[in-house]
Structure formats: C-alpha cells, structure tokens
Amino acid sequence: MKRFLKIGIKQIPVLALFLGLNCSDKDLKNNMSEIDKHSFAIPSDAQVVHLDLNLKVDFITKILSGYVDLLVENKSHTNQLVLDSRDLSIEKVELDDKNQKPEFKLGDTIKYLGQALTIKITPETKKVRVYYHTSPQAAAIQWLDAKQTLGKRYPFMFTQSQAILARSWVPLQDAPAIKFTYNATISCPPNLMALMSAENDTLLHADGVYHFKQSKPIPSYLMALAVGNIGFKSLGKNCGIYSEPDMLQKASWEFANMGRMIQSAEELYGKYLWGRYDVLVLPPSFPFGGMENPCLTFATPTVIAGDRSLVSLVAHELAHSWSGNLVTNATWDDFWLNEGFTVYFEHRIMEKIYGKPYVDMLCKLEFDEMKKEISEMGDTSADTKLKLNLTGRDPDDGVTDIAYIKGCFFLKTIENAVGRDQWDSFLKNYFKTFAFKSITTERFLTYLNTELIKDNKHLQESIRVDDWVYKTGLPKNCPKVESSELLKSEIAAKEYLHPEKINTNDWTTHHWLHFMRCLPKKIRSEDLEKLDAAFKFTQSGNCEILCDWFQIAIVNDYEPAYKAMENYLCSVGRRKFVQPLYGKLLANGNTRDLAKRIYTKARPGYHTVTKATIDQMMENK
Ligand code: BES
Ligand code: ZN
C-alpha cells in the first residue's frame, strides 16, 4: 500500500517569506537538491553539531519536558535555523545569551513529517536553547503501565526513533545525513533506571538523575531513551544485559555468546569503536526485533526462546555498529546500505561462530521470505529496486526484504565474483574510509568501482551492478541457496500425516519454521490436531514458531488454537508477528470479526509503529 502526501514539502520559500528573509531562487534550488525529502532541515545553511538534552520523565502525564541546547554551525551565515518537530509544544527559545528571545514559528503539519520549527538566528549564533514538552501521543514513545511489564510493579517507557520519529521527542535536524554528538541529563522517578544510546551506568541512582555522554557523532534516528525497573548483568569485560530484574538470568543465558560475537565482528571488519556493547531487553510490546541504538541495542524479549536459537538478532544489531552506525545511509532511499550490509555482516559473524550449515538455514529461510514478498509486491514494482524513491511517503514503506535480503544477496554476488579475501579487505577499508559519515548508494557505487571493479569487464559482467541497484525484481545472477539441514524439514513435511514417523531430535527453530512452510496450504482440522498433539505447537513458548503455526491455523479454521492466538496478539506487539496474523484473520471471512474484536482489545498495548500498520490494514478491509 503506497501512501502519498497531499501537500509537497517545498514550503521553504513560504517560510522564508514569513520570516522576511532574503533567499534567492538560486539559493533555494541549490539547497533543495541537498535537502533530505523527509526533513525540513537545511544543513548546508545551518547544521546542528552537538546537542545537550535536559529532560524530566513524567509517567503520570506521559510527558517529557525540559530543554535542548543545540550547538549550531552556521555555514552560510544564514538568519534561520530549521528543525524538525512533530507534536511538540515549544515553550520558548533563547540564543547564546539568554536575553535574546528570537522569533520562532511552527509550520503547517504535514503527514509523517510533522512541522518545521524555524528559529530566527544571527550569523554569529552558536547555541540555541529550545524549551519544550512532548505530547502523550508522541509517535516515538511508548508508555507502559506497570501491568504491561514483567514485574507488574513499575511503569516503563522507551523510545523508537528510526526512521523519522526522533522529532516527536526532541526538536532536532532529523535526517540521517546529519550527525552530532550529545550529552543528556534525564530525571526520572527514584527506583527507576534511565538508559540511553550512550555511555551508561550499570547502577541505580537513588535520586533518579542520570547523566549521559555520546562522544561519537550519530544521526538522530539513533537517539534513544528507556526508563524502567531495570537491572544489569555483565557478560564479560565489554558487554552485558539490561532488563527487568526477573528477566536478567534468562536473557544472560540466552545471549552468553555476545563477547564472541564482538570478537568475531572485530576480526572481520575492524575495531568496535563505541566503548561497551550492551543489550537492553524490553517488554514484549517493543515493535521491532531489535534496534541498533549505539552502545545499547534495544531488543524484543521474543528472541529469548530458551534454546539460544534466535541469537542471530544480536549478531545483526551488533553488525550495525559498523554498517549503519559508523557508515550511515544518507537518505532513507539508501536504506539498503544500512540493512543489506548488516544482514551480510550478520551472516559472516554467525558463520564464524556456528558454521556454514547454520547460516545456510538462515539464508534459505530469508530468501524464501523475500521471494514471497516480491511476488506480493509484484516483481515490476519500483519498491523492489535497492535504490528506493520514497518521495512523499513514509520511510517505513521502505522497510521490506528488498533492503535486507536483496541487499545482502547483492553483496554475496560481489563476494562470489571477487573472492572472499579481496572482498573482506574492501569492506574493512569501506568502514574505515566512511566511518562517522553518511553516504548515498551512488557514493558507494563509485567507491566500489574505483577500489574493486575498475575497468574489469569480466567483473562488471558477473556482478551487474545496475541490475541489482536500479532494476526491479531479482537479477538473473542471484546466487542460489541450498540448505542441507532444511532438506530434513522438507522430507519431514511430506510425512505430515504420520507425525510419529518424523525424527525431530536435533531440530532448531529454523527446522520447525521450514517444516511448517513446506506443509500443504490446506490441511484438514483433524490432521492439524494430530500435528498439534505430536509437536505441541499451540503450547509452544517460541514466538517465531507460534507465528507460523497460528497462520496455518487461521487459513484452515483450526479453532483449538484461537484462544492461544488471542493471548499472543494481546501480549506481543512485535510488528513482524502481529501483522501477518491480522492479515490472515482479515483475509478469512470466518475470522474477520474475530480480528476486529482482538484488535480492539490488543491495540492499547501496541506501540504507535505497530498501531499505524494494523490500523491501515483494518481500514482497507
Ligand atoms: N534498524 C532495524 C529496525 C528498524 C528499521 C526500525 C527501520 C525502524 C525502521 C533493525 O536493525 C532491524 O533490522 N531489526 C529486525 C531484526 C533483524 C534481525 C532483521 C527486526 O526488527 O525484525
Ligand atoms: Zn537492521
């Protein structure tokens, strides 16, 4: 479903008029070409290079309030600073010396983008202080009541800024090409711990006041904050787990391999440059699997399966410490530079630790998921190109398997063509050359050409860069994927009427998923009952397995699973899981009303990201 803006975002001339600024047409054109389509900021004029945040966290009103000091580099001696904001109440603005109270204006609200906050500055202005508070509906923030947490005693809050939601909790330049350092002081109720995408303390502060420092330049989508009843458990000298106290033991067992992952990643592509690497396990309403907030990955508890079978998620988020957090996509049209490189890197970390047959399983599952998604999108859809065009749309529309899996397979194609050694040294240099910068797809391609492909006709032919990046669907030279492990599941699926004959002793989550995906589409209820009795799917504690199983149940009107499915939808808010379930429920005439009833009950517990997706599915039905 494509969503277009009704109003364009070329309102900068209007703002200029309003502020009585003199901006020639030529200036505007020059600027426009550099402006991120999803941000109002004009960094070529005035760019924020550092941010000092001072916020109070109020769980009663569900509001963050305080101020932010923005250090500005005024490149063109401009008299305006343009920031992004969404649902923020701006109380007052001060320049360097507090006596200067400049004019400021919030522009019209534009869908997805929010409002431009334009502040009159002088060519000499260094610091702009904005006093503000957030709305209880701030798109980035989820406020959880005590009953929505594991411990049930304390409330919890967390932010999710990617892609363009940071502007709903901090007025800033919300574009991935703009990087800044930050410090923060956060005050929260005593007994609660505050954590950010920065250097974190591991101990509770009795007064509820926490200080943070992120000394490396980061893009705004990596700003993150979480507050709750949180404990810490070390997993070695440079890594550890934060979570609600009752989850610490389980989570540390599950992620015991984190130290090895960091070491493997460093061996591959260079030193980890962010100090410590910790993971914060959030309550189950977290809308994503993981989020690579620097120094502190945010993760869903649904990867804690009890058997360490879903830990590739940690490898993925850790890999972002290079691909994404060091070298960042310059715009959301270049999103595959973040995710394609990260999936590739994730596979390499996993291969080092768990071996090739394991990674072949991941590859096969992902490749099949991508093929399914491409067939749903249509293989001539422009959204199947690596380089996207998200003009006028929510960048969230670009979060598909194209960026992740097609992106990864493009890089595997290059690896196959040039050989692993040469490719690895290219990648190591790539991360070094572009560290702490943001780049476009085109910049990457130029680098690839000069460093690797040069004028080698043979390489050009075997890689076919343009087909991968600028053409739809999957290129002819896409590497083939086979998994000897998953062959076991394919053979087993043929025996589904005789589950007692299937040997599942050494199966991991991946075998189970592939098994379910290889079953016939239509299965009689009594046969599902037999499978369920043999393998205890409905009672599974594994969220991945449950998600696939419930889809099979819905398509086949297998009602014995519905109660468990309802509980699942009311407790898990990870979009990847709930979206296909509502999709299947809505597509089946017998369960459409059930979908609506469950959603009414579950919706208040979901993060805005998940709500937005499911609301739209409900509207379209
Ligand atoms: N950065 C993404 C999550 C994201 C992408 C949030 C775009 C908002 C907009 C994160 O690294 C990610 O890819 N998470 C995946 C897990 C991963 C193992 C594929 C997820 O959440 O499912
Ligand atoms: Zn990712």
Side-chain angles (χ1 to χ4, degrees), residues 238-268:
N238 58 347
C239 59
I241 301 284
Y242 290 94
S243 75
E244 284 193 63
D246 293 344
M247 178 63 106
L248 268 181
Q249 208 52 43
K250 262 184 99 178
S252 345
W253 183 86
E254 200 83 22
F255 299 142
N257 253 343
M258 237 157 76
R260 273 184 79 190
M261 286 186 178
I262 299 170
Q263 197 193 331
S264 304
E266 289 190 315
E267 281 163 17
L268 282 164

Side-chain angles (χ1 to χ4, degrees), residues 160 162-163 287-292 312-313 316-317 320 335 339 342-343 346 396 399 404 574 576:
Q160 166 56 43
Q162 197 181 11
F288 294 105
M291 178 65 214
E292 65 272 27
S312 61
L313 178 121
H316 179 96
E317 304 311 336
H320 272 305
F335 182 54
E339 297 300 343
T342 298
V343 173
E346 166 202 334
D396 208 42
V399 185
Y404 287 81
R574 183 173 171 189
K576 176 185 137 180

Side-chain angles (χ1 to χ4, degrees), residues 262-361:
I262 299 170
Q263 197 193 331
S264 304
E266 289 190 315
E267 281 163 17
L268 282 164
Y269 302 128
K271 208 170 151 27
Y272 176 80
L273 295 176
W274 305 88
R276 300 179 49 82
Y277 177 76
D278 297 314
V279 171
L280 166 64
V281 179
L282 289 160
S285 66
F286 184 58
F288 294 105
M291 178 65 214
E292 65 272 27
N293 298 315
C295 309
L296 185 67
T297 283
F298 283 17
T300 169
T302 63
V303 286
I304 300 175
D307 59 2
R308 299 180 174 160
S309 63
L310 301 175
V311 296
S312 61
L313 178 121
V314 175
H316 179 96
E317 304 311 336
L318 170 68
H320 272 305
S321 308
W322 289 258
S323 43
N325 298 6
L326 271 190
V327 185
T328 308
N329 51 210
T331 77
W332 297 114
D333 288 349
D334 306 297
F335 182 54
W336 80 274
L337 287 181
N338 272 19
E339 297 300 343
F341 275 73
T342 298
V343 173
Y344 176 83
F345 194 170
E346 166 202 334
H347 287 176
R348 294 296 304 277
I349 296 170
M350 293 304 283
E351 185 180 323
K352 258 178 172 285
I353 301 176
Y354 298 90
K356 184 150 185 312
Y358 190 96
V359 175
D360 288 344
M361 291 201 286

Side-chain angles (χ1 to χ4, degrees), residues 56-65 133-136 143:
K56 184 168 161 286
V57 180
D58 188 338
F59 282 95
I60 311 289
T61 56
K62 301 187 161 84
I63 284 174
L64 303 180
S65 62
H133 62 266
T134 60
S135 145
W143 298 91

